[in-house]
Amino acid sequence: MKLDPTRVTELASNLLHTLSSIKAVSNGNRHVRLVAVSKLKPASDILALASKPSTDNTDHETSHLPHLHFGENYTQELLHKAEILPRHIRWHFIGALQTNKCKQLAENIPNLWAVESVDAAKKADALEKGRKALKEKSPNTEPVRVFVQVNTSGEDSKSGVEPDATYDLAKHIVEECPHLKLQGLMTIGAIARSQAAKEGELNEDFVTLKKVRDQVARDLSWEASKLELSMGMSADYEDAIRQGSDEIRIGTSIFGSRPPKKVATDEKHDEESNKEGEPK
Ligand SMILES: *Cc1c(COP(=O)(O)O)cnc(C)c1O
């Protein structure tokens, strides 16, 4: 795969800028994971950030590389990229999840690090089945981390479980899915909420996710810190970190604006149900 040095420098610099602002907002004393959201971007963009800079390059501009965590929204696109890109990448599936794609994701992508959009027990069961099948073939297989996606804004168009239903799904994953690891909760949230937060208010979606997390942790008898909060995108990640986020998912600020979405037939459903996941 050919890398364009100008593009590599540009991406490395965007990533560095994002990492510095995470550090500034979190005061450097709390680890916040950055998932670089590469959907609809070429594999070469990912490789540019996931490669080790050459050893003669001790430039501080690239000392933050390789970056490991990348997020994708579409099953076919992720399957393809995972196939052709290095195994040390830690993939996050963050898009609208279809039950009939779950097994394939968990079974065919050994370095699938997390699925963040689990919103139904049957999807967790299908992921479990896929991971179990992979583990039978490769005993060193790690569990897939999962986040329960919560609909914090109450909008009908949003995917995610209702706050009140979060515990039941979390419990199901912990008790019934030994090849999954409950890692935390995820929300996308409403654009209006991030705008309100820009004007000095708290982002209500982030307030809600944290409240739900604290309650679910209590009900599971877990430390709250054992359940992560995945919240914050390019437009609102600084507020999200101030409100306790453990993981932010950033696309546009690193890779630039995205091309129009693909309309491959097998992605149609993804497209439809993921519309609301798009901030712009
Ligand atoms: C696309 C997407 C992101 C990244 O959005 P940007 O605004 O480009 O940072 C984050 N989370 C989810 C679930 C997404 O679908």
Side-chain angles (χ1 to χ4, degrees), residues 3 36 55 75 81 110 117 119-120 122 133 137 155 190 228 244:
L3 296 183
T55 42
T75 308
K81 286 174 170 170
S117 38
D119 60 358
K122 62 179 197 287
K137 290 176 273 185
E155 292 168 296
E228 295 182 359

PDB file of all heavy atoms in Angstrom, residues 3 36 55 75 81 110 117 119-120 122 133 137 155 190 228 244:
ATOM      1  N   LEU A   3       1.933   5.054   0.580  1.00  0.00           N
ATOM      2  CA  LEU A   3       1.539   6.162   1.431  1.00  0.00           C
ATOM      3  C   LEU A   3       2.082   7.466   0.862  1.00  0.00           C
ATOM      4  O   LEU A   3       3.229   7.542   0.453  1.00  0.00           O
ATOM      5  CB  LEU A   3       2.086   5.957   2.848  1.00  0.00           C
ATOM      6  CG  LEU A   3       1.550   4.736   3.604  1.00  0.00           C
ATOM      7  CD1 LEU A   3       2.117   4.697   5.016  1.00  0.00           C
ATOM      8  CD2 LEU A   3       0.021   4.739   3.653  1.00  0.00           C
ATOM      9  N   ALA A  36      -9.809   6.721  16.731  1.00  0.00           N
ATOM     10  CA  ALA A  36      -9.783   7.490  15.483  1.00  0.00           C
ATOM     11  C   ALA A  36     -10.809   6.860  14.529  1.00  0.00           C
ATOM     12  O   ALA A  36     -10.672   5.698  14.137  1.00  0.00           O
ATOM     13  CB  ALA A  36      -8.386   7.434  14.872  1.00  0.00           C
ATOM     14  N   THR A  55      12.802   4.416  11.894  1.00  0.00           N
ATOM     15  CA  THR A  55      13.651   4.618  13.078  1.00  0.00           C
ATOM     16  C   THR A  55      14.544   5.850  12.978  1.00  0.00           C
ATOM     17  O   THR A  55      14.912   6.427  13.990  1.00  0.00           O
ATOM     18  CB  THR A  55      14.542   3.390  13.344  1.00  0.00           C
ATOM     19  OG1 THR A  55      15.044   2.954  12.086  1.00  0.00           O
ATOM     20  CG2 THR A  55      13.769   2.282  14.016  1.00  0.00           C
ATOM     21  N   THR A  75     -20.134  -2.846   8.394  1.00  0.00           N
ATOM     22  CA  THR A  75     -19.597  -4.200   8.501  1.00  0.00           C
ATOM     23  C   THR A  75     -18.669  -4.569   7.346  1.00  0.00           C
ATOM     24  O   THR A  75     -17.545  -5.014   7.575  1.00  0.00           O
ATOM     25  CB  THR A  75     -20.749  -5.227   8.566  1.00  0.00           C
ATOM     26  OG1 THR A  75     -21.643  -4.813   9.594  1.00  0.00           O
ATOM     27  CG2 THR A  75     -20.236  -6.604   8.876  1.00  0.00           C
ATOM     28  N   LYS A  81     -11.157  -3.816   5.588  1.00  0.00           N
ATOM     29  CA  LYS A  81      -9.978  -3.129   6.125  1.00  0.00           C
ATOM     30  C   LYS A  81      -9.206  -4.024   7.093  1.00  0.00           C
ATOM     31  O   LYS A  81      -7.961  -4.040   7.093  1.00  0.00           O
ATOM     32  CB  LYS A  81     -10.391  -1.827   6.804  1.00  0.00           C
ATOM     33  CG  LYS A  81     -10.768  -0.718   5.812  1.00  0.00           C
ATOM     34  CD  LYS A  81     -11.317   0.502   6.540  1.00  0.00           C
ATOM     35  CE  LYS A  81     -11.467   1.703   5.602  1.00  0.00           C
ATOM     36  NZ  LYS A  81     -12.235   2.811   6.256  1.00  0.00           N
ATOM     37  N   PRO A 110     -10.139 -11.166  14.308  1.00  0.00           N
ATOM     38  CA  PRO A 110      -9.521 -11.526  15.589  1.00  0.00           C
ATOM     39  C   PRO A 110      -9.114 -10.298  16.395  1.00  0.00           C
ATOM     40  O   PRO A 110      -9.143 -10.333  17.630  1.00  0.00           O
ATOM     41  CB  PRO A 110      -8.295 -12.352  15.189  1.00  0.00           C
ATOM     42  CG  PRO A 110      -8.225 -12.367  13.709  1.00  0.00           C
ATOM     43  CD  PRO A 110      -9.417 -11.710  13.138  1.00  0.00           C
ATOM     44  N   SER A 117     -21.869  -0.626  19.999  1.00  0.00           N
ATOM     45  CA  SER A 117     -23.242  -0.280  19.679  1.00  0.00           C
ATOM     46  C   SER A 117     -24.201  -1.424  19.974  1.00  0.00           C
ATOM     47  O   SER A 117     -25.149  -1.648  19.260  1.00  0.00           O
ATOM     48  CB  SER A 117     -23.302   0.124  18.207  1.00  0.00           C
ATOM     49  OG  SER A 117     -22.442  -0.701  17.421  1.00  0.00           O
ATOM     50  N   ASP A 119     -27.203  -3.033  21.529  1.00  0.00           N
ATOM     51  CA  ASP A 119     -28.435  -2.483  22.089  1.00  0.00           C
ATOM     52  C   ASP A 119     -29.548  -3.529  22.203  1.00  0.00           C
ATOM     53  O   ASP A 119     -30.719  -3.186  22.334  1.00  0.00           O
ATOM     54  CB  ASP A 119     -28.915  -1.275  21.256  1.00  0.00           C
ATOM     55  CG  ASP A 119     -29.186  -1.654  19.810  1.00  0.00           C
ATOM     56  OD1 ASP A 119     -28.974  -2.819  19.440  1.00  0.00           O
ATOM     57  OD2 ASP A 119     -29.616  -0.771  19.045  1.00  0.00           O
ATOM     58  N   ALA A 120     -29.175  -4.799  22.124  1.00  0.00           N
ATOM     59  CA  ALA A 120     -30.173  -5.850  22.274  1.00  0.00           C
ATOM     60  C   ALA A 120     -29.482  -7.148  22.676  1.00  0.00           C
ATOM     61  O   ALA A 120     -28.354  -7.418  22.231  1.00  0.00           O
ATOM     62  CB  ALA A 120     -30.923  -6.065  20.960  1.00  0.00           C
ATOM     63  N   LYS A 122     -30.157 -10.129  21.784  1.00  0.00           N
ATOM     64  CA  LYS A 122     -29.911 -11.059  20.671  1.00  0.00           C
ATOM     65  C   LYS A 122     -28.647 -10.685  19.892  1.00  0.00           C
ATOM     66  O   LYS A 122     -27.979 -11.550  19.338  1.00  0.00           O
ATOM     67  CB  LYS A 122     -31.134 -11.177  19.757  1.00  0.00           C
ATOM     68  CG  LYS A 122     -31.562  -9.904  19.058  1.00  0.00           C
ATOM     69  CD  LYS A 122     -32.772 -10.200  18.166  1.00  0.00           C
ATOM     70  CE  LYS A 122     -33.048  -9.132  17.131  1.00  0.00           C
ATOM     71  NZ  LYS A 122     -33.610  -7.867  17.597  1.00  0.00           N
ATOM     72  N   ALA A 133     -16.853 -19.357  18.568  1.00  0.00           N
ATOM     73  CA  ALA A 133     -16.408 -20.141  17.407  1.00  0.00           C
ATOM     74  C   ALA A 133     -14.943 -19.832  17.090  1.00  0.00           C
ATOM     75  O   ALA A 133     -14.152 -20.733  16.793  1.00  0.00           O
ATOM     76  CB  ALA A 133     -17.294 -19.840  16.205  1.00  0.00           C
ATOM     77  N   LYS A 137     -11.213 -22.243  17.394  1.00  0.00           N
ATOM     78  CA  LYS A 137     -10.159 -22.379  16.375  1.00  0.00           C
ATOM     79  C   LYS A 137      -8.823 -21.850  16.875  1.00  0.00           C
ATOM     80  O   LYS A 137      -7.774 -22.384  16.561  1.00  0.00           O
ATOM     81  CB  LYS A 137     -10.551 -21.620  15.094  1.00  0.00           C
ATOM     82  CG  LYS A 137     -11.698 -22.271  14.329  1.00  0.00           C
ATOM     83  CD  LYS A 137     -12.115 -21.433  13.123  1.00  0.00           C
ATOM     84  CE  LYS A 137     -13.149 -20.387  13.502  1.00  0.00           C
ATOM     85  NZ  LYS A 137     -13.689 -19.612  12.371  1.00  0.00           N
ATOM     86  N   GLU A 155     -34.802  10.598  21.752  1.00  0.00           N
ATOM     87  CA  GLU A 155     -35.342  10.766  20.408  1.00  0.00           C
ATOM     88  C   GLU A 155     -35.642   9.395  19.813  1.00  0.00           C
ATOM     89  O   GLU A 155     -34.818   8.486  19.898  1.00  0.00           O
ATOM     90  CB  GLU A 155     -34.311  11.469  19.513  1.00  0.00           C
ATOM     91  CG  GLU A 155     -34.051  12.902  19.901  1.00  0.00           C
ATOM     92  CD  GLU A 155     -32.831  13.459  19.174  1.00  0.00           C
ATOM     93  OE1 GLU A 155     -31.729  12.945  19.412  1.00  0.00           O
ATOM     94  OE2 GLU A 155     -33.000  14.379  18.376  1.00  0.00           O
ATOM     95  N   ALA A 190     -27.614  14.072  21.135  1.00  0.00           N
ATOM     96  CA  ALA A 190     -28.233  14.990  20.178  1.00  0.00           C
ATOM     97  C   ALA A 190     -27.326  16.187  19.928  1.00  0.00           C
ATOM     98  O   ALA A 190     -26.649  16.669  20.830  1.00  0.00           O
ATOM     99  CB  ALA A 190     -29.572  15.464  20.726  1.00  0.00           C
ATOM    100  N   GLU A 228     -16.739   1.917  31.690  1.00  0.00           N
ATOM    101  CA  GLU A 228     -16.304   3.144  31.016  1.00  0.00           C
ATOM    102  C   GLU A 228     -17.456   3.899  30.375  1.00  0.00           C
ATOM    103  O   GLU A 228     -18.489   3.318  30.042  1.00  0.00           O
ATOM    104  CB  GLU A 228     -15.294   2.793  29.920  1.00  0.00           C
ATOM    105  CG  GLU A 228     -14.001   2.212  30.453  1.00  0.00           C
ATOM    106  CD  GLU A 228     -13.012   1.933  29.318  1.00  0.00           C
ATOM    107  OE1 GLU A 228     -13.339   2.179  28.143  1.00  0.00           O
ATOM    108  OE2 GLU A 228     -11.897   1.477  29.626  1.00  0.00           O
ATOM    109  N   GLY A 244     -16.474  13.579  32.325  1.00  0.00           N
ATOM    110  CA  GLY A 244     -16.087  12.249  32.801  1.00  0.00           C
ATOM    111  C   GLY A 244     -15.878  11.173  31.758  1.00  0.00           C
ATOM    112  O   GLY A 244     -15.753   9.993  32.102  1.00  0.00           O
TER     113      GLY A 244
END
